[in-house]
Amino acid sequence: PALSALSPAQGGSLGDVEVTLSGSGFLADEAGPATVRFGGLAASALTVLDDATLSCHTPPGTPGSVVEVELVNANGSTRLAAAFHYLGAPSLDALSPAAGSPLGGTLVTLSGAGFTLDPAGAPLVRIGAALATQVAVVDDDTLTCLTPPGPAGASADVRVENQNGMAVLPGAYRYFAAPEIAALAPENGPSAGGTTVVLTGIGFKSEVVG
């Protein structure tokens, strides 16, 4: 067999990118079943379309690496050096602010890398299991979003996903604990209002409540 080209020549590091390989000798002379490897790892869902074309799905790879593609069948093998580029996965370093209301709607700035390059496509941001809204990519290192509602007092993982991969900061965002009222005094007063009432409880000043 001979291998001349593949398309696309790049894809996400998570794998499962459908790639078409072009060449010859994929069927002729009783070539038999074929195996395709990207950087030594076997591709999946391989289908020989004709003697000059086959398709397959890439295996996972190292983000940012460029790997050899090899095709093997009963009649021999062929290689294309540095033929497929695994796109760089995003990274996530920090977010600010790192805490907010359990009602959600806090504007958060996420810092990292890989938000636009190798075309990353539109990102998703998850805080815990819930999707953030109004995600806006400022540049390759910065994006902003509005937090979803979450459980009061809980810490949640923050996850950025795009077509090149995924990055996670474990327990990086904390939802403020909700205030609690334990008692008030006095418990009654004139209907005209104007009574000074003292409320006791927790959570009245320990968080930034806006």
Side-chain angles (χ1 to χ4, degrees):
L3 187 58
S4 57
L6 66 158
S7 179
Q10 62 181 19
S13 60
L14 300 180
D16 203 30
V17 177
E18 185 173 4
V19 175
T20 299
L21 282 67
S22 303
S24 61
F26 300 163
L27 281 177
D29 298 325
E30 300 181 357
T35 299
V36 174
R37 297 186 180 93
F38 288 72
L41 298 177
S44 60
L46 192 149
T47 303
V48 178
L49 304 174
D50 54 47
D51 191 60
T53 314
L54 63 80
S55 68
C56 63
H57 288 202
T58 61
T62 302
S65 65
V66 179
V67 299
E68 174 187 84
V69 177
E70 178 186 28
L71 184 148
V72 179
N73 63 27
N75 297 334
S77 65
T78 179
R79 294 176 174 83
L80 280 179
F84 189 83
H85 175 206
Y86 281 104
L87 300 174
S91 62
L92 187 56
D93 302 325
L95 68 158
S96 179
S101 169
L103 300 178
T106 302
L107 179 64
V108 174
T109 299
L110 282 69
S111 303
F115 299 156
T116 62
L117 295 183
D118 285 339
L124 293 176
V125 177
R126 298 180 191 273
I127 298 182
L131 285 171
T133 59
Q134 298 187 29
V135 178
V137 178
V138 178
D139 53 40
D140 192 62
D141 302 325
T142 311
L143 62 81
T144 62
C145 64
L146 295 181
T147 61
S155 294
D157 295 348
V158 178
R159 184 187 312 263
V160 175
E161 304 171 35
N162 61 32
Q163 66 182 20
N164 297 339
M166 176 182 66
V168 181
L169 278 180
Y173 188 80
R174 184 172 58 84
Y175 286 104
F176 291 155
E180 297 181 13
I181 297 174
L184 71 159
E187 296 180 354
N188 52 58
S191 59
T195 302
T196 299
V197 176
V198 177
L199 282 70
T200 57
I202 59 173
F204 300 161
K205 293 185 66 175
S206 59
E207 306 282 8
V208 177
V209 295

